[in-house]
Amino acid sequence: MRQDEPFDAIILGAGAAGLMAARTAGLLGQRVLVLDHADRPGKKILISGGGRCNFTNIHTAPDRFLSANPHFVKSALGRYQPQDFIDLVERYGISWHEKTLGQLFCDGSSRQIVDMLLDECAQGQVDIRCDHRIVAVDRPDGRFRVSTQHGAFIAPALVIATGGPSIPKMGATGFGYDLARQFNLKVIEPRPALVPLTLSGDDMMFRGLSGIAVDSVAAHGKTRFREASLFTHKGLSGPAILQISSYWRPGEAITINLLPDSDAAAALVEAKRQRPKLHIHSLLGEWLPDRLVDLLRAPLGLSGELANIADKALIAAGNRLNGWRFTPNGSEGFAKAEVTVGGVDTSGLSSRTMEARSIPGLYFIGEAVDVTGWLGGYNFQWAWASGNATGEAIAQQQ
Ligand code: FDA
């Protein structure tokens, strides 16, 4: 194909959303060019889900996504559902399993998902070119011109699928935001999400528990997640913390319920009645890991036999165990964040097509948009759904 050969659409970014949009438009007969600065497509898919790609979540619903406009996701998610992607995966004979909480993973490897998308793109005669650095984008005559170090490409439709800035060492950039601003679209401040949180001050003592995980409920305001919390040498991680990190903002506190299955205050007072001779630390050792019990000694300020501890002190300790308050001093940042909250403001986009309202032919999809899913396959489902919506829209424009 010659460089000046006309394309119906150029897609910037050969990640999850870009490949899905390309495949959908290509299979609907559009001539699609995909450009990426990386050396190969789908790099984040390859490392996702610990190498097994958690490719969707069967509990996908709009309330599992963060966005300044919580209604924005409804149209695209409604028209491309987890079952649609499962059907595609099964057509390719890729076996999968549900790990937990509706999270679907490949039995084999993430590579199968990338290969499947590339195969679909090949069937749609999509032209994918990696190692293309985007130098400039402009719109000289109503069509979009994308200049790269290998020359310029022109098309009436341009799709921005360059993701967010999480994990920059993998080639992630804020390119999508710069481009949105170039076309006078608003960007909601991007922040790292699904990211470990760091502790300082009095909370720093918990770093000594590095490697210990507890079943927990992590909470921020009314938002709560029942999963494991993990203590790390920098602070807090584990699925419950990653989930809550998307809601947390600097300066705010979170709580961790260390005994999510019990009313700890009532249980402590009851234990005092039933087993007055029992040492408080022996009792806590029945409920929590020993190293955590050792560490909690000082802040809880309890010692000795239960009979010698006032009910009031037991109730206060129980309440703390059911909602230990941490004030993280930060997060591990974009270097460790699985995704980004914030991004291109949805108020400037059509929720049906992802097209910019003010710039016909310009689309934003995937993580670049101010839509962030929970941990557990939701972010890929958003990439597939938004990519599919745009792929169909491009075909309908012709
Ligand atoms: P994505 O990041 O996939 O693709 C963007 C593409 O644009 C890349 O190919 C990049 O090279 C290219 N690009 C960027 N800047 C460019 C520029 N300036 N010029 C040209 N090209 C450019 N989600 C999930 O649902 N299940 C999971 O199991 C996981 N696991 C997971 C693990 C890890 C370690 C991370 C970091 C993330 C996940 N995620 C996840 C999140 C998931 O990977 C993410 O939500 C999607 O990949 C987003 O898809 P996009 O296509 O929007 O961006």
Side-chain angles (χ1 to χ4, degrees):
M1 194 174 280
R2 290 201 335 268
Q3 280 195 12
D4 57 358
E5 190 163 333
F7 294 100
D8 297 313
I10 299 173
I11 297 177
L12 302 186
L19 291 175
M20 180 52 111
R23 160 262 178 201
T24 303
L27 291 173
L28 290 170
Q30 304 303 293
R31 292 158 302 171
V32 180
L33 171 68
V34 181
L35 299 174
D36 200 300
H37 66 172
D39 56 356
R40 63 208 148 104
K43 276 180 145 177
K44 266 195 195 165
I45 304 175
L46 288 174
I47 60 156
S48 68
R52 293 227 161 103
C53 188
N54 176 193
F55 55 80
T56 192
N57 193 300
I58 54 173
H59 302 310
T60 294
D63 66 358
R64 273 120 208 260
F65 294 83
L66 291 81
S67 172
N69 175 3
H71 303 292
F72 183 80
V73 295
K74 288 181 179 168
S75 173
L77 289 178
R79 282 177 296 133
Y80 194 87
Q81 302 195 359
Q83 192 57 49
D84 294 309
F85 198 77
I86 295 169
D87 290 345
L88 182 60
V89 159
E90 291 191 335
R91 251 196 285 137
Y92 278 77
I94 300 171
S95 57
W96 53 271
H97 60 280
E98 179 182 343
K99 198 167 169 189
T100 173
L101 301 171
Q103 303 168 4
L104 305 193
F105 285 75
C106 298
D107 289 346
S109 127
S110 309
R111 155 69 47 206
Q112 294 171 288
I113 299 293
V114 176
D115 288 347
M116 174 189 84
L117 293 168
L118 293 179
D119 193 303
E120 290 277 296
C121 283
Q123 285 181 46
Q125 297 185 5
V126 174
D127 185 349
I128 301 176
R129 303 190 195 185
C130 289
D131 287 315
H132 275 61
R133 195 165 39 80
I134 315 302
V135 178
V137 174
D138 59 357
R139 200 161 69 125
D141 60 358
R143 292 183 305 163
F144 296 90
R145 179 171 62 191
V146 178
S147 304
T148 76
Q149 87 275 34
H150 298 303
F153 305 90
I154 290 176
L158 178 66
V159 182
I160 309 304
T162 47
S166 44
I167 322 271
K169 74 170 190 230
M170 293 198 59
T173 66
F175 176 88
Y177 311 146
D178 297 339
L179 201 95
R181 291 191 192 100
Q182 179 188 329
F183 285 97
N184 292 321
L185 296 169
K186 277 200 294 184
V187 173
I188 295 188
E189 189 205 348
R191 289 182 291 122
L194 300 182
V195 65
L197 298 174
T198 55
L199 296 177
S200 66
D202 289 347
D203 289 340
M204 216 141 75
M205 66 178 183
F206 286 91
R207 293 177 177 190
L209 296 177
S210 181
I212 289 189
V214 286
D215 182 20
S216 65
V217 172
H220 173 270
K222 288 192 176 138
T223 308
R224 48 199 62 226
F225 291 95
R226 169 80 191 255
E227 282 190 78
S229 289
L230 171 72
F231 295 98
T232 73
H233 66 291
K234 289 189 177 163
L236 298 166
S237 188
I241 299 300
L242 298 181
Q243 297 279 32
I244 220 69
S245 74
S246 302
Y247 293 84
W248 174 83
R249 283 170 183 269
E252 294 177 345
I254 61 165
T255 59
I256 301 182
N257 182 345
L258 297 165
L259 292 169
D261 285 325
S262 78
D263 175 343
L268 284 165
V269 172
E270 178 62 18
K272 177 178 166 181
R273 305 264 125 76
Q274 302 286 336
R275 299 188 280 169
K277 294 272 170 218
L278 189 65
H279 197 284
I280 177 72
H281 296 126
S282 306
L283 178 63
L284 293 178
E286 292 174 12
W287 297 343
L288 293 165
D290 289 345
R291 272 171 65 201
L292 178 56
V293 174
D294 285 347
L295 186 125
L296 294 179
R297 264 172 209 252
L300 285 177
L302 301 181
S303 62
E305 293 176 359
L306 290 172
N308 298 327
I309 305 173
D311 281 8
K312 204 172 150 199
L314 290 174
I315 289 167
N319 289 339
R320 280 190 88 183
L321 291 169
N322 276 145
W324 203 278
R325 200 177 150 88
F326 292 90
T327 308
N329 67 332
S331 78
E332 292 193 32
F334 283 117
K336 290 285 160 64
E338 219 166 89
V339 289
T340 311
V341 281
V344 178
D345 188 351
T346 58
S347 67
L349 306 178
S350 153
S351 64
R352 202 179 61 78
T353 63
M354 310 290 136
E355 188 177 21
R357 293 182 197 284
S358 52
I359 316 279
L362 180 63
Y363 301 79
F364 290 85
I365 56 175
E367 198 181 321
V369 179
D370 171 36
V371 170
T372 309
W374 286 1
L375 184 76
Y378 296 101
N379 285 294
F380 278 139
Q381 188 58 35
W382 169 247
W384 315 139
S386 57
N388 180 70
T390 289
E392 286 182 351
I394 289 167
Q396 279 160 16
Q397 274 188 353
Q398 300 303 308

